[in-house]
């Protein structure tokens, strides 16, 4: 029987965190860095379990996006993955259902950076590809990141966005978006 559970990072046991890391390493073919894992911590997690097996995961963490002079409280989606042998069974949608409830209940905006293979999932759920420029508020100032443009998806909750204005994320180690 498949079970969906949500909880804050602080409520997860060490074994659960280790299982999440293994799932993410496997799902991203070893291309999930320590920084990537760190980005998935400190917020709410959605776990899909089949018995004792973790088959899907995703997290929402607080970030601040700067847009038109406003700092937007953003629920940023991280670490969405499904184990290979359970893909195409709807588990990513179950994870996103849970994460979207968190975003809609506590943030002005939802945001994520989508891989090419996942973009269709998010677009099909109503997430909108950001048409404008993307930047980061770095230690040396705002820096435009043209390579990120076209991969950022947003789920507006209460925020009003101007697609002609820049969208800048807060600084962090590793991939900033």
């Amino acid at each position: 029987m498949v079970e969906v559970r949500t909880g804050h990072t602080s409520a997860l046991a060490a074994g659960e965190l280790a299982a999440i890391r293994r799932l993410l390493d496997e799902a991203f073919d070893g291309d999930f860095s320590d920084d990537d894992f760190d980005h998935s911590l400190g917020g709410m997690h959605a776990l899909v379990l089949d018995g004792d097996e973790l088959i899907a995961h995703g997290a929402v963490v607080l970030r601040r996006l700067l847009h038109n002079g406003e700092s937007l409280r953003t629920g940023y989606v991280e670490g969405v993955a499904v184990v290979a042998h359970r893909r195409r069974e709807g588990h990513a949608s179950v994870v996103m259902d849970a994460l979207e409830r968190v975003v809609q209940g506590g943030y002005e905006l939802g945001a994520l950076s989508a891989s090419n293979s996942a973009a269709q999932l998010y677009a099909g759920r109503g997430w909108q590809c950001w048409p404008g420029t993307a930047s980061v508020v770095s230690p040396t100032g705002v820096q435009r990141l043209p390579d990120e443009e076209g991969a950022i998806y947003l789920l507006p909750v209460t925020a009003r966005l101007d697609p002609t204005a820049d969208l800048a994320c807060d600084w962090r180690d590793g991939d900033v978006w």
Side-chain angles (χ1 to χ4, degrees):
M1 167 145 268
V2 174
E3 168 195 2
V4 181
R5 191 164 54 95
T6 58
H8 191 272
T9 301
S10 63
L12 299 176
E16 291 172 306
L17 290 170
I20 292 167
R21 180 60 195 254
R22 283 191 302 275
L23 177 131
L24 294 169
D25 284 339
E26 180 183 307
F28 288 94
D29 296 322
D31 191 26
F32 200 81
S33 71
D34 289 342
D35 286 329
D36 294 332
F37 185 63
D38 186 63
H39 298 164
S40 298
L41 302 177
M44 293 295 291
H45 298 260
L47 304 140
V48 179
L49 302 144
D50 189 353
D52 291 337
E53 180 188 13
L54 176 64
I55 57 175
H57 169 268
V60 172
V61 297
L62 171 65
R63 294 199 65 192
R64 289 288 180 169
L65 298 187
L66 186 62
H67 180 71
N68 261 351
E70 291 184 53
S71 175
L72 301 171
R73 188 178 64 258
T74 303
Y76 199 82
V77 174
E78 293 281 4
V80 176
V82 178
V83 295
H85 70 279
R86 297 299 298 266
R87 291 183 183 148
R88 307 279 182 248
E89 295 178 13
H91 301 301
S93 291
V94 169
V95 166
M96 289 306 297
D97 285 343
L99 299 181
E100 288 164 0
R101 280 192 300 275
V102 171
V103 169
Q104 291 165 343
Y107 297 95
E108 297 173 88
L109 177 69
L112 58 84
S113 178
S115 65
N116 290 335
S117 62
Q120 185 177 1
L121 167 71
Y122 303 121
R125 299 185 61 80
W127 289 72
Q128 301 163 5
C129 185
W130 174 245
T133 59
S135 300
V136 62
V137 181
S138 78
T140 59
V142 176
Q143 296 177 8
R144 184 163 173 208
L145 301 171
D147 290 346
E148 299 295 336
E149 295 166 7
I152 298 164
Y153 283 76
L154 305 175
L155 185 66
V157 178
T158 61
R160 294 184 185 268
L161 303 174
D162 175 1
T164 65
D166 187 57
L167 185 65
C169 64
D170 51 353
W171 180 257
R172 63 184 184 178
D173 292 333
D175 294 330
V176 293
W177 274 102

